[in-house]
Amino acid sequence: ETGLFLVQHVHKHVNQANSTVSAVVRPRKQMVTRTTNCIRLDFPPVSRKNCISMFKNAWNLGSISGIKIRLHWTFVLLPMFIYFSSLMDGHGMAAAITSVVFVLAIFGCVLLHELGHAFAARQFGIATRDIILLPIGGVASLERMPRNPLQELWIAVAGPLVNVVIAAALMIGLP
């Protein structure tokens, strides 16, 4: 251990006189909490129940290379919002459907991005439980975090590299 410490739990103790905030500091190696459904930092403390129930309302869409692909129920709200917003703006049904297809294509890219993270992790022997698509993006749930920082860097960069490949393919393929 290098002696570096990170804040694990912050307990706010507000003193009326000087408004101070105190924190409990623990060694870095105690920072990561592994639960049955996600890996998270204990900042702020979250119960295991909340971590597991956060994505319990996701529907299974299938799997790709053994990685379950799931869709959170709130995702359905996004295409509906896009469709009705387009209709309300007076663009017509064809434009509304085109807008929804465009949003779904973007989320196809989000799925490929998350698969990039998952396949990079697989290179280092780290399995991915599932990928969950949400209206704000996607989450690839890895079984564990890599112990080697370079492996972690490669896994982190793999997703955006997929986006670069998609952008290059679109630039070459579109007139």
Side-chain angles (χ1 to χ4, degrees):
E1 195 67 36
T2 61
L4 295 176
F5 291 85
L6 296 176
V7 175
Q8 184 177 19
H9 299 285
V10 173
H11 304 282
K12 293 183 180 179
H13 299 287
V14 179
N15 184 336
Q16 297 299 331
N18 58 12
S19 296
T20 60
V21 176
S22 62
V24 176
V25 179
R26 297 203 175 127
R28 183 172 186 221
K29 64 183 178 182
Q30 295 176 1
M31 276 291 288
V32 176
T33 299
R34 299 176 199 293
T35 67
T36 58
N37 201 25
C38 64
I39 297 174
R40 61 179 170 73
L41 294 179
D42 277 338
F43 186 84
V46 178
S47 72
R48 179 179 296 213
K49 178 184 170 193
N50 290 342
C51 187
I52 293 169
S53 66
M54 187 168 35
F55 297 124
K56 74 177 181 180
N57 294 322
W59 303 314
N60 290 324
L61 297 179
S63 66
I64 298 174
S65 294
I67 302 168
K68 289 186 266 183
I69 309 299
R70 302 174 69 208
L71 185 74
H72 196 267
W73 71 270
T74 57
F75 184 87
V76 175
L77 300 175
L78 181 64
M80 287 174 38
F81 174 76
I82 298 296
Y83 179 78
F84 289 114
S85 293
S86 186
L87 286 179
M88 296 294 282
D89 287 342
H91 295 294
M93 188 175 291
I97 292 171
T98 301
S99 297
V100 169
V101 168
F102 180 72
V103 168
L104 294 177
I106 289 172
F107 274 89
C109 295
V110 170
L111 176 59
L112 293 174
H113 173 101
E114 296 303 325
L115 285 169
H117 291 302
F119 290 144
R122 185 178 285 177
Q123 286 181 336
F124 303 114
I126 301 170
T128 303
R129 280 187 203 93
D130 59 9
I131 293 174
I132 300 176
L133 296 175
L134 302 155
I136 58 171
V139 177
S141 299
L142 303 179
E143 289 285 331
R144 64 176 178 84
M145 295 300 291
R147 290 178 181 84
N148 183 329
L150 290 177
Q151 291 176 350
E152 187 173 354
L153 176 65
W154 176 245
I155 292 169
V157 169
L161 284 177
V162 170
N163 293 45
V164 170
V165 170
I166 292 170
L170 289 173
M171 290 173 77
I172 292 169
L174 294 177

